[in-house]
Structures are given as C-alpha cells and as structure tokens.
Amino acid sequence: MSAPPTDLTYRNPVLDADWSDPDVTRVGDDFYLTASSFGRVPGLPLLHSRDLVNWTLVGHALQRLEPESEFGVPRHDCGVWAPSLRHHDDRFWIFWGDPDQGIFQVNAPEIRGPWTRPHLVKAGKGLIDPCPLWDEETGEAYLVHAWARSRSGVKNRLTGHRMHPHGTELLDEGKVIVDADRIPGWFTLEGPKLYRHDGWFWILAPAGGVETGWQGAFRSRDFFGPYEEKVVLEQRDTDVNGPHQGGWVRTPSGEDWFLHFQQRGAYGRVVHLQPMRWGPAGNTSRSWGSPRSSEAESGGGWPVIGDDGAPVAEHRRPDLPAQPAAAPATDDDFPGGRHGRQWQWMANPRDGWATQHSADGLRLTCVRTTDAHDLRTLPNVLTQRLPGTPCTVEVELRLDSPEPGARAGLAVLGDAYAWIGLQRGTDGTAHLVHRFAETVAESERDAGHPRLVPEGGVRLRIEAGAGARCRFSYDIGDGFRPSGQTFAATPWRWVGALLGLAALAPTGQGHAGTATFTRFRISPA
C-alpha cells in the first residue's frame, strides 16, 4: 500500500464520490464547483474550497425540477445534465441541459443565492452540456453545446451560438463548430467548456466515452472556427480510466489546474485534480475545418494536463493557503427533524413526507403507495452518495406505524437494490426484513429470513467493501448479526449507487404512521 499524502501533497480523487460532470470557477480567493444532479432534488449542488483539495457542500441552486408534473416521480437519468458554472457581471451563472427539454439557466448574486427560477434559453430535444462565454474584450457573448443521440439522433458534434449578454436568449440558429465525425478516431464528443485565452477561443471537451475516452482541447481565432484539436489528457498506463470532462481554473498566483471525473462503476464519477500548464509555441494538432493558417501554425502553446498528458495519482498541492481537511458532510443527527444538505429526494418532494419536531431524528411518514414492491419507483426516498472507498454505514430506526405492511429501512439503490429494516405484521408485531431486487426484476424478494423483533429500535448496518460489495447486518440489542448474502451495488445508467432512507405503507385510508431515523453515520472501513 502506498504511503499517505503529506502536508505538501494531495492524492486523487479529491472528491471520492459521485460528483458527476464537474465544473469549477474562481471568485477572489474562493473556488466553487457544481455537478450533475439528474433527477434528484434539490439539484445543482454547490461546493466551496479555498485550496482545490478540500471541498464542502454549501447548498444547491435548484430547489425543484420543472415542469413539476414530470418530476413528481423518479426519473433517475434525466433532469440536470452536465452544468457549467461561471461568474460574470457580479453574478453566478449556471447553464445545464435537460435532454428532454433544452438548455436552462439560473443565476444569483451570491453562491448561496437567492437563485432565480430556471429560464429556458433554448428549447429542443437532445441539447446537452451547454457552456457560456462572455468575452470581456469585445462584449460579445457565446454559448456552445453538445448533442445526445438518444433524443436527437445527433452526436459527436458541438454547436455554437451567439448569445445575448444578459444570458437569456440566443441570437442565431447555431452552427456546427466542431464535427468530430471528420476527425479520425474521435467519437462521442461532448461536455464542452468554453474559454478565452491568449487571443484564442478554447474548448476543452472529452471524447471516446466516459469509461475509455480522453480529454481533448480545441482552439480557434474565431468562435465559429475553424478549430484544430489535440488530445491533452488520456489514461496511458495509469488506472484512471476515462479521464473525462471537467473545468480549468487559475489560482490568484497564476497556477493552472484542471478538475475532471473518472467513472468508477457503482461509485459513479469521482473527481480528480490535475496540474495544468500552457506548453511552448508549436503545434502537433490537426485542423478539420479548413487548411490551417500560418497564424494558427505559429500560435502559442497547448494546455499540458497531468504528468505530460497522463493523470497524476499524487501531486504537490496548489500554491494556496493551507486549509483544514474537509469533505462534503455525510453524518447526520437530523436536528429538529431536518436533514442535512447532503440528502436529496428521488423526485420533487411533497408536503408531509418529513415532520419537524423538537428532538433529533428524521421522522418520515410511511407514505401510502401502490409501488411498495419496488423502491426504485418511489419519489419519497431520501438519498445521498455512496462513498468511493470502503466504509460502514449505520443508522438507528424505530417504526412508529401500527399499519399492517408499513415498513422502513436503509437501502443501497441502483439499477438493482437491497434494503434492511422493519415491517409491521398483520398481527401488529414487528419483523426485521431484508429484501433485494435484481436489475431486471419488477419487484423485490427476501434476501434474508424475516425475524420477529421486540418493540423498540433497531440499529442497521451496511458494510460496503471493495468493489462496492455490501454486507447487511442488524442489532436489536444483543450485538450485530449478519443478514443475507453479499450484495454488489450497481449504478443507474448515469448515476452512481445511492444510500437511501425510506418509509412506506400499502394503499389504504388515513395516515399510516411514521418511522424515525437517528444517528446516521458513515465511517471508514
């Protein structure tokens, strides 16, 4: 096992959980990052750092997904795709693509808000990964975006627009500014981030797919092209597959850094920090748009990311003031019945799902549903990201519902899922139950034998080992006992596996009671 990082170095990933499709910006001495949130609510997470290594979650920019009617049920791989975060005209701006609706924008005077309601900048199917640019030299504004073939039949292209400086509308029909079908060996070009540097328009964009692709750079003297391209980061002989899309940021002292993701199966897309510099003049690129001009031939250098184009596992820290170790919160005592920022519902929440009270503990209503057989279909499941390293997850549960069939528990959710918890029997007794559903299954079945338990609370535990292989156990007062077989957590299509807290009941009349979760803890294994 390698030695731990020192005070002078850091080790990747710097965000070891599913912070998918990250983008980053700097304002003064502060760095801010956002990421895809897909169909979970609240959306557009907002992270803060002062050293690019230690990050905390400070809020969300999107409190509800619109239209409300479409996100009243889980749509796990839809919603907010690949946002871009910028600071312009004393405001924060986030643009993102909803592949089923179009390109949206929100903005705020401060990172903690208040954020505007989503504004549709461009309607259409398959419009994804938008990124704006305000050219401070000319006053012009631009926007570039990619395409999702699943909705539009188009992929591997980047389309550019002139944009109103107010960021509210586009001023033309758009033009394909990079067609990667015309670049030998390139496919699935997406995730563009647009910059102005050294007299050039720069687009940093990945290609080749999230698991096996590379990071590319494109440059042109004119926004609409022609662009020339170069691969600037690729896996080579490292264990960092991808490496995929992210954002460039410059520190106050002039250092350049690049944050990007790596796809890691059930753990989702973890975030790496790479050193970056601008190489010497010269050109080893190709140009697809037209013959390369002499100006392009004699242009300045290309970005050099990582260790001469390969990802680094450990590196000298950025030249920034030392900061205490920090990471997005995971533990929660649920003071007053309120959950922390790290939690997200699987769809737009409704009144009455959680009850505030004077003590600690999350009091969830056992929501009546016809879908009690499949947690993947329930909007009222509260989730957070599964850590990217082996860990132990624990929570205490008390089932306060007398309703026959009412149940509550702790889950690992993905295309397949498993959960452990309590269920009320028809005779009023409480049973410890452990259930799972395979990817192709439409309903769950027992993963362990149900067990009659005394009234009171139960402590639930998931031990997530290497490869996100999960062992479930419970403690009803006489020590932890294992339950069922090892369960291999699975991701959704684009989303890593999630930890979830759920309370539900069969259909019927009247209030079905509540379940109370206390002392949620995640500790290193």
Side-chain angles (χ1 to χ4, degrees), residues 243-422:
H244 226 252
Q245 76 186 61
W248 162 43
V249 68
R250 176 166 285 177
T251 69
S253 66
E255 285 187 345
D256 295 307
W257 296 86
F258 184 73
L259 285 146
H260 68 92
F261 79 74
Q262 174 199 10
Q263 171 67 39
R264 292 191 57 225
Y267 300 119
R269 300 172 178 183
V270 302
V271 178
H272 291 240
L273 175 66
Q274 302 295 338
M276 176 174 155
R277 59 182 173 85
W278 292 91
N283 204 323
T284 58
S285 66
R286 301 181 299 265
S287 176
W288 68 266
S290 68
R292 193 177 299 132
S293 68
S294 58
E295 180 183 36
E297 286 283 7
S298 62
W302 289 79
V304 180
I305 300 177
D307 180 8
D308 197 24
V312 300
E314 186 175 338
H315 194 268
R316 173 189 58 80
R317 286 176 174 263
D319 181 21
L320 293 164
Q323 302 295 321
T330 56
D331 296 354
D332 206 342
D333 286 322
F334 309 108
R338 298 173 178 87
H339 56 77
R341 296 187 182 101
Q342 67 268 34
W343 297 96
Q344 296 169 293
W345 298 101
M346 293 216 297
N348 283 331
R350 301 172 199 165
D351 292 340
W353 284 359
T355 302
Q356 295 182 11
H357 52 92
S358 60
D360 288 350
L362 179 69
R363 189 175 295 168
L364 292 183
T365 298
C366 294
V367 176
R368 294 189 182 276
T369 176
T370 58
D371 294 321
H373 56 281
D374 191 344
L375 294 185
R376 294 166 295 197
T377 65
L378 300 182
N380 58 302
V381 179
L382 196 61
T383 69
Q384 68 166 281
R385 295 160 179 82
L386 177 70
T389 53
C391 64
T392 299
V393 183
E394 292 187 4
V395 70
E396 295 174 5
L397 168 65
R398 187 180 72 245
L399 182 61
D400 298 319
S401 171
E403 181 80 10
R407 66 203 74 167
L410 170 66
V412 176
L413 292 153
D415 277 342
Y417 75 87
W419 70 279
I420 190 168
L422 296 175

Side-chain angles (χ1 to χ4, degrees), residues 19-23 34-36 38 81-83 193 244-246 261 269:
W19 301 95
S20 178
D21 312 317
D23 193 27
T34 191
S36 295
F38 298 97
W81 283 24
K193 295 294 181 283
H244 226 252
Q245 76 186 61
F261 79 74
R269 300 172 178 183

Side-chain angles (χ1 to χ4, degrees), residues 93-356:
W93 302 78
I94 301 178
F95 286 68
W96 75 93
D98 179 320
D100 300 303
Q101 299 184 71
I103 294 169
F104 287 90
Q105 169 258 102
V106 292
N107 60 86
E110 305 289 342
I111 196 68
R112 290 172 174 81
W115 289 86
T116 60
R117 284 190 61 175
H119 174 78
L120 185 61
V121 178
K122 181 182 180 181
K125 296 281 190 178
L127 309 179
I128 59 171
D129 308 349
C131 184
L133 172 69
W134 286 269
D135 189 338
E136 302 297 341
E137 295 180 9
T138 66
E140 299 284 338
Y142 305 93
L143 184 132
V144 63
H145 69 82
W147 295 86
R149 174 174 284 176
S150 59
R151 272 71 163 188
S152 65
V154 177
K155 65 177 288 189
N156 211 31
R157 298 175 189 170
L158 303 181
T159 294
H161 292 267
R162 292 190 182 277
M163 183 176 72
H164 194 289
H166 290 165
T168 55
E169 61 181 316
L170 304 178
L171 302 180
D172 55 34
E173 295 300 313
K175 175 186 175 183
V176 174
I177 58 176
V178 178
D179 182 352
D181 286 346
R182 299 175 62 182
I183 306 175
W186 284 58
F187 60 96
T188 317
L189 177 65
E190 57 188 347
K193 295 294 181 283
L194 181 60
Y195 307 94
R196 199 84 158 95
H197 173 67
D198 196 26
W200 298 84
F201 288 92
W202 289 89
I203 298 173
L204 301 182
V210 296
E211 295 187 351
T212 58
W214 57 89
Q215 180 67 37
F218 297 82
R219 72 178 186 180
S220 173
R221 292 294 187 185
D222 183 86
F223 172 71
F224 289 103
Y227 282 85
E228 48 191 350
E229 88 287 341
K230 184 179 182 181
V231 175
V232 293
L233 187 68
E234 55 189 333
Q235 180 173 358
R236 298 191 187 169
D237 59 355
T238 75
D239 62 359
V240 183
N241 60 296
H244 226 252
Q245 76 186 61
W248 162 43
V249 68
R250 176 166 285 177
T251 69
S253 66
E255 285 187 345
D256 295 307
W257 296 86
F258 184 73
L259 285 146
H260 68 92
F261 79 74
Q262 174 199 10
Q263 171 67 39
R264 292 191 57 225
Y267 300 119
R269 300 172 178 183
V270 302
V271 178
H272 291 240
L273 175 66
Q274 302 295 338
M276 176 174 155
R277 59 182 173 85
W278 292 91
N283 204 323
T284 58
S285 66
R286 301 181 299 265
S287 176
W288 68 266
S290 68
R292 193 177 299 132
S293 68
S294 58
E295 180 183 36
E297 286 283 7
S298 62
W302 289 79
V304 180
I305 300 177
D307 180 8
D308 197 24
V312 300
E314 186 175 338
H315 194 268
R316 173 189 58 80
R317 286 176 174 263
D319 181 21
L320 293 164
Q323 302 295 321
T330 56
D331 296 354
D332 206 342
D333 286 322
F334 309 108
R338 298 173 178 87
H339 56 77
R341 296 187 182 101
Q342 67 268 34
W343 297 96
Q344 296 169 293
W345 298 101
M346 293 216 297
N348 283 331
R350 301 172 199 165
D351 292 340
W353 284 359
T355 302
Q356 295 182 11

